[in-house]
């Protein structure tokens, strides 16, 4: 009795809004989940972007990164003090850089770059501890560690370090550190091993330096850095030393932002698509809700409700959906954004400032959660509110049932099809507006899925082309040059070795017509008859035998010279030599994110220019068997064979290991693409599930009639599932065509970030996979509504309003 006397604190129309929200939990859940998916995506992307924009560069600046690095001949503290007096120099340190190899116990050798400092408490390029301590004592080492270069070493490991002179030394790993300046995905880059001057001397090194690290007074101005770098280079050369390489960096900008922009760009497209898909589900749901409640609208109008009041009531319902979605999506979006930012910070070796809610992201989520549903729902709600009392309380529906006319038109040739299946086809096309929105939702989801696989194959093709530069089955690097004929004869005696090629190389510089430094250039000299290169040129031709001062350059030079073409001249300076004009004869595709622009020149000419005629330090081996396991075993055999014959081996690496390192960055992008495909497929499945649930709800009386004339549960479920399959297969066909513009858009974002144009590759894999996915989605999206329909009793369905 007390329950009956409890006063209703809400007016009737607001009580109805609450009842609509609470009573049909399936419908509320679908709409809220759809809105929340889009709001979550927007919040995650914006939070990640805002956190990274604020923290990544700040983290980079906090380590006091060098603005200028100069590689030169050995020097002592006197040169360091001289450089400190150069105008514009803020701070300077000397370091000793040496390529070594190390191993733990009897494991395979790994390449490391030894970095010797006076003290590990340096002022420039501070290192962030990842594991263990940040400082090392005598006979101890710190190892750099990031996702691009994983050494596999841990704190407490004892490693054997072999110097180029063949001497062996034992060091303890006391810490793993993040070095933000080395996070480029360069397959030629090694993990760094930081040691003190005391450790250097105990290893027999003299304590001199061969690399200058400098910061300048205006580290955010590239022109100022360039002017100081030129003055430093002149000062070093006047001291009688050769400058081998000069690198310049801004203090205010992390050197590796390419892959970050790719991921943000991809997720921005994802967020936009999910928001669009969410709005179509909202329109479908509200149309169905208004159709279901049409009689209630008529009754409300009979008792005096105005169209404006009814419109306001249903718009409040729509806003309520958005508010509920917002409550769910804001914390999840913040967590997702921080997680994404943390992952990308790990890629960059950076440190974030901690978890936080970004006000701008919350504001954007609030606007999306309220305005998008209102925009999507206004038209159906407004049309429903304007419905006349006669239309609302009668069974009259303008337009009739289009399925009946279609069925009678084709009754001649469909007479052999069972009635339940015909009913499924008729019901599929009965609500054309809802069908179009459902098809739109699932088509876009399918198009994104197929486009992702096309883009993935495009990236794989780029990767395969990139790996042409690392095609040797085994690559051997020596600490000193050897005659090509001698090494070939030696290596060909090893079982499994089919061929040996000596490759030369040099680190050059490009200068402009005003005698200003432009960029470094990595020049590689393959033998003329190399079997390890099959490059696809985008312009020009390959090198001719005996051709001098001729270059085939990477298209990453387009970032500096957008109009570069075969026949153009570049001013090149090799270490210790004067500037000379070289001719560009061809252009090949390459990834700018891999570091310096790359170029090929004839082996003989490069070797002569570097004073190593007929000699080199790098050899690439062609093996009889090309699988990774066989190459790994041959790598060990080659290492042992050469070491026993007293060759100064610096490293022996399998081609598969080099290719694996080269593909890490691309694989990260591919993983995010696949996540994008899964998320859009999820939203598409929600749209189909919602449409099927609404269709079954509207056919409740029809199902009751079928049950009264003997239809069993299996027949009813079959009818609903076939309807879902028909919709799914229609969207599969449409998605194939729509996938191309989406694929071009995604590939354009990636191409711009990677700095190289890419062609979209068509692969049937995505189409076939989406066919399987859409069939599974259609079946599962239909099973729940079908089971609910089959479980209804005859009394329930005939009494349904």
């Amino acid at each position: 009795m007390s329950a009956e006397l409890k006063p209703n604190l809400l007016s009737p129309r607001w009580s109805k809004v609450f009842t609509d929200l609470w009573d049909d939990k399936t419908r509320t859940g679908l709409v809220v989940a759809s809105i929340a998916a889009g709001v979550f995506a927007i919040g995650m992307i914006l939070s990640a972007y805002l956190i990274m924009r604020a923290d990544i560069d700040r983290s980079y600046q906090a380590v006091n990164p060098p603005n200028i690095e100069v590689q030169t001949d050995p020097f002592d503290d006197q040169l360091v003090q001289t450089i400190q007096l150069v105008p514009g120099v803020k701070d300077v340190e000397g370091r000793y850089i040496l390529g070594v190899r190390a191993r733990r116990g009897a494991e395979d050798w790994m390449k490391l770059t030894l970095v010797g400092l006076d003290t590990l408490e340096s002022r420039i390029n501070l290192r962030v501890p990842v594991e263990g301590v940040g400082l090392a004592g005598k006979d101890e080492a710190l190892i750099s560690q990031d996702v691009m270069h994983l050494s596999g070493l841990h704190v407490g490991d004892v490693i054997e370090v072999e110097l180029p002179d063949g001497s062996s030394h034992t060091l303890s790993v006391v810490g793993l550190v993040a070095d933000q300046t080395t996070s480029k995905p360069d397959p030629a880059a090694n993990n760094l091993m930081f040691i003190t001057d005391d450790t250097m001397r105990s290893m027999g090194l003299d304590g001199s330096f061969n690399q200058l690290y400098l910061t300048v007074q205006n580290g955010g101005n590239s022109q100022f850095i360039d002017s100081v770098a030129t003055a430093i280079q002149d000062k070093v050369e006047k001291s009688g030393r050769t400058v081998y390489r000069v690198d310049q960096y801004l203090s205010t900008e992390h050197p590796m932002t390419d892959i970050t922009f790719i991921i943000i760009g991809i997720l921005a497209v994802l967020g936009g698509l999910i928001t669009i898909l969410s709005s179509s589900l909202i329109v479908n749901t509200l149309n169905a809700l208004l159709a279901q409640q049409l009689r209630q609208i008529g009754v409300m109008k009979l008792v005096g409700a105005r169209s404006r009041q009814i419109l306001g009531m249903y718009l409040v319902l729509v806003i309520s959906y958005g508010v509920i979605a917002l409550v769910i999506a804001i914390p999840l979006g913040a967590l997702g954004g921080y997680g994404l930012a943390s992952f990308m910070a790990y890629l960059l070796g950076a440190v974030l400032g901690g978890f936080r809610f970004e006000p701008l992201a919350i504001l954007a989520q609030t606007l999306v959660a309220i305005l998008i549903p209102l925009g999507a729902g206004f038209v159906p709600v407004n049309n429903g509110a304007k419905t006349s009392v006669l239309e609302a309380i009668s069974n009259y529906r303008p337009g009739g049932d289009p399925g009946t006319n279609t069925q009678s038109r084709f009754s001649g040739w469909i007479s052999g099809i069972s009635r339940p299946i015909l009913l499924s086809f008729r019901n599929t096309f009965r609500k054309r507006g809802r069908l179009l929105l459902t098809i739109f939702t699932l088509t876009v989801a399918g198009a994104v899925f197929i486009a992702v696989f096309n883009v993935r194959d495009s990236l794989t093709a780029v990767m395969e082309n990139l790996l042409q530069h690392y095609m040797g089955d085994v690559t051997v690097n020596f600490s000193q040059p050897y005659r090509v004929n001698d090494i070939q004869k030696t290596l060909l005696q090893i079982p499994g070795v089919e061929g040996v090629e000596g490759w030369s190389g040099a680190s050059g510089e490009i200068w402009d017509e005003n005698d200003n430094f432009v960029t470094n250039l990595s020049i590689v000299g393959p033998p003329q008859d190399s079997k390890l290169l099959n490059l696809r040129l985008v312009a020009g031709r390959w090198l001719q035998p005996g051709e001098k001062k001729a270059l085939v350059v990477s298209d990453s030079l387009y970032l500096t010279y957008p109009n570069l073409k075969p026949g153009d001249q570049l001013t090149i300076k090799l270490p210790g030599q004067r500037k000379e004009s070289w001719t560009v004869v061809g252009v090949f595709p390459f990834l700018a994110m891999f570091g310096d622009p790359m170029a090929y020149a004839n082996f003989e000419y490069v070797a002569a220019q570097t004073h190593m005629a007929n000699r080199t330090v790098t050899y690439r081996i062609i093996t009889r068997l090309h699988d990774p396991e066989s190459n790994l075993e041959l790598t060990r055999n080659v290492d042992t064979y050469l070491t026993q014959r007293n060759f100064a081996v610096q490293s022996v690496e399998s081609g598969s290991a080099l290719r694996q390192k080269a593909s890490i960055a691309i694989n990260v992008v591919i993983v995010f693409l696949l996540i994008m495909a899964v998320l859009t497929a999820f939203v598409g499945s929600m749209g189909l599930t919602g449409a099927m649930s609404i269709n079954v709800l509207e056919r409740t009386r029809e199902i009751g009639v079928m049950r009264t004339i003997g239809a069993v549960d299996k027949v009813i479920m079959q009818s609903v599932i076939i309807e879902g399959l028909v919709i799914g297969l229609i969207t599969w066909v449409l998605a194939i065509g729509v996938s191309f513009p989406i694929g071009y858009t995604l590939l354009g974002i990636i191409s711009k970030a990677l700095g190289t144009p890419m062609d979209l590759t068509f692969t049937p894999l995505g189409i076939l996979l989406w066919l399987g996915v859409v069939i599974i989605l259609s079946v599962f999206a239909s099973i729940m509504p079908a089971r609910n329909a089959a479980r209804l009793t005859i009394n329930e369905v005939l009494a349904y309003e």
Side-chain angles (χ1 to χ4, degrees), residues 6-236:
K6 185 176 180 178
N8 187 355
L9 300 179
L10 297 175
S11 64
R13 55 177 171 167
W14 305 130
S15 178
K16 173 175 168 45
V17 169
F18 179 79
T19 302
D20 286 337
L21 281 172
W22 184 255
D23 285 356
D24 197 332
K25 296 181 180 63
T26 300
R27 180 183 63 218
T28 299
L30 281 170
V31 179
V32 168
S34 177
I35 299 172
V39 176
F40 163 77
I42 295 297
M44 180 180 68
I45 295 163
L46 266 179
S47 295
Y49 171 74
L50 293 170
I51 290 172
M52 289 176 59
R53 187 182 67 175
D55 291 3
I56 296 298
D57 289 340
R58 183 168 56 201
S59 172
Y60 184 62
Q61 293 176 47
V63 303
N64 195 28
N67 299 118
I68 304 170
E69 296 179 23
V70 182
Q71 295 180 17
T72 183
D73 293 324
F75 60 90
D76 55 20
D77 283 331
Q78 185 175 355
L79 180 64
V80 174
Q81 295 171 9
T82 301
I83 298 299
Q84 182 72 68
L85 300 176
V86 173
V89 172
K90 182 179 180 182
D91 207 350
V92 59
E93 288 183 356
R95 299 192 178 189
Y96 184 72
I97 309 296
L98 180 67
V100 300
R101 60 181 191 163
R103 64 181 176 184
R104 178 175 48 194
E107 296 178 352
D108 294 331
W109 292 101
M110 71 180 73
K111 291 198 301 182
L112 294 176
T113 299
L114 182 149
V115 181
L117 304 92
D118 270 338
T119 170
L120 290 178
E121 295 181 286
S122 59
R123 301 177 301 277
I124 301 176
N125 196 28
L126 308 179
R127 291 157 298 280
V128 180
V130 175
E131 181 182 336
V133 299
L135 297 175
K138 185 178 179 181
D139 297 328
E140 295 178 340
L142 305 176
I143 306 295
S144 69
Q145 193 88 72
D146 61 65
V147 73
M148 297 297 177
H149 313 105
L150 295 173
S151 66
L153 298 175
H154 296 282
V155 173
D157 289 341
V158 176
I159 58 174
E160 177 188 358
V161 179
E162 185 179 276
L163 300 183
D165 62 7
S167 61
S168 182
H169 308 271
T170 300
L171 298 179
S172 298
V173 177
V174 295
L176 302 181
V177 295
D179 186 343
Q180 297 187 49
T181 64
T182 62
S183 56
K184 277 277 187 182
D186 184 357
N190 307 318
N191 285 85
L192 305 180
M193 179 176 68
F194 299 94
I195 62 173
T196 62
D197 180 69
D198 289 340
T199 303
M200 289 174 59
R201 295 185 186 278
S202 72
M203 297 172 69
L205 301 172
D206 61 8
S208 62
F209 307 113
N210 58 12
Q211 185 156 330
L212 288 164
Y213 269 42
L214 303 100
T215 56
V216 301
Q217 294 172 355
N218 189 358
N221 187 321
S222 59
Q223 293 182 344
F224 183 78
I225 294 173
D226 184 64
S227 65
V228 176
T230 301
I232 297 296
Q233 186 168 353
D234 290 342
K235 185 72 71 174
V236 173

Side-chain angles (χ1 to χ4, degrees), residues 485-542:
N485 290 339
D486 294 342
I487 296 299
Q488 287 177 334
K489 289 177 182 178
T490 302
L491 291 176
L492 287 172
Q493 296 176 23
I494 302 175
V497 175
E498 291 288 305
V500 179
E501 295 184 2
W503 287 51
S504 61
S507 179
E509 298 175 345
I510 301 178
W511 293 69
D512 63 17
E513 62 277 4
N514 298 319
D515 205 29
N516 294 318
F517 171 80
V518 177
T519 182
N520 289 305
L521 182 68
S522 178
I523 301 175
V524 180
Q528 186 64 43
D529 58 349
S530 175
K531 298 178 181 178
L532 298 176
L533 273 179
N534 185 23
L535 294 183
R536 177 181 64 87
L537 300 181
V538 297
R541 58 171 175 82
W542 184 245

Side-chain angles (χ1 to χ4, degrees), residues 276-391:
I276 293 171
L277 299 183
S278 300
S279 64
S280 66
L281 180 55
I282 295 167
V283 172
N284 257 350
T285 305
L286 291 176
N287 273 324
L289 173 65
L290 292 168
Q292 180 187 352
Q293 297 191 357
L294 208 56
R295 292 199 176 202
Q296 297 180 24
I297 293 174
V299 172
M300 285 187 285
K301 286 198 168 186
L302 278 175
V303 297
R306 299 178 181 178
S307 298
R308 179 168 50 84
Q309 292 175 314
I310 296 173
L311 173 64
M313 181 182 70
Y314 281 102
L315 287 181
V316 169
L317 177 63
V318 172
I319 293 174
S320 301
Y321 287 139
V323 171
I324 297 172
L326 199 61
V327 171
I328 298 170
I330 284 179
L332 291 180
L335 287 171
Y338 184 74
L340 176 59
S342 298
F343 174 73
M344 287 189 280
Y346 176 55
L347 290 179
L348 304 175
V351 178
L352 299 182
F355 173 80
R356 59 187 180 272
F357 288 91
E358 290 288 343
L360 185 59
I362 295 176
L363 176 61
Q365 286 178 288
T366 304
L367 293 175
V368 169
I370 302 300
L371 298 182
I372 295 295
L374 279 177
F378 180 81
V379 172
V381 167
N382 189 47
N383 292 338
K386 290 181 178 179
T387 303
S388 66
V389 175
L390 176 63
E391 291 176 346

Side-chain angles (χ1 to χ4, degrees), residues 612-750:
M612 291 194 296
N614 299 319
R615 297 180 301 152
T616 187
V617 296
T618 300
Y619 291 85
R620 300 189 183 186
I621 298 174
I622 304 170
T623 62
R624 182 178 300 113
L625 301 175
H626 305 290
D627 59 285
E629 292 78 13
S630 300
N631 287 340
L632 181 59
E633 182 63 29
L634 184 61
T635 298
R636 296 167 181 160
N637 295 338
V638 168
D639 196 328
T640 302
Y641 190 85
L642 292 173
T643 303
Q644 290 174 349
R645 283 155 181 77
N646 297 319
F647 286 98
V649 178
Q650 185 183 61
S651 66
V652 183
E653 282 190 291
S654 66
S656 58
L658 281 171
R659 289 189 286 271
Q660 184 177 6
K661 286 200 297 184
S663 60
I664 289 176
I666 296 296
N667 289 337
V668 170
V669 177
I670 289 174
V671 167
F672 271 89
L673 284 172
L674 294 177
I675 292 174
M676 177 180 178
V678 172
L679 287 174
T680 50
F682 170 72
V683 175
S685 67
M686 283 198 305
L688 183 60
T689 302
M692 295 307 302
S693 299
I694 295 167
N695 287 351
V696 170
L697 188 67
E698 290 183 345
R699 292 168 52 202
T700 302
R701 280 182 172 270
E702 178 184 289
I703 292 170
V705 173
M706 293 173 63
R707 296 289 293 276
T708 60
I709 60 177
V712 296
D713 293 352
K714 179 181 178 181
V715 172
I716 295 173
M717 290 187 66
Q718 182 188 61
S719 173
V720 177
I721 290 173
I722 289 176
E723 182 180 345
L725 281 172
V726 170
I727 295 174
L729 292 175
I730 291 172
T731 64
W732 174 69
V733 174
L734 295 175
I736 296 173
V738 179
S739 67
F740 285 97
I742 294 178
Y744 280 115
T745 302
L746 290 176
L747 197 61
I749 295 171
I750 296 173

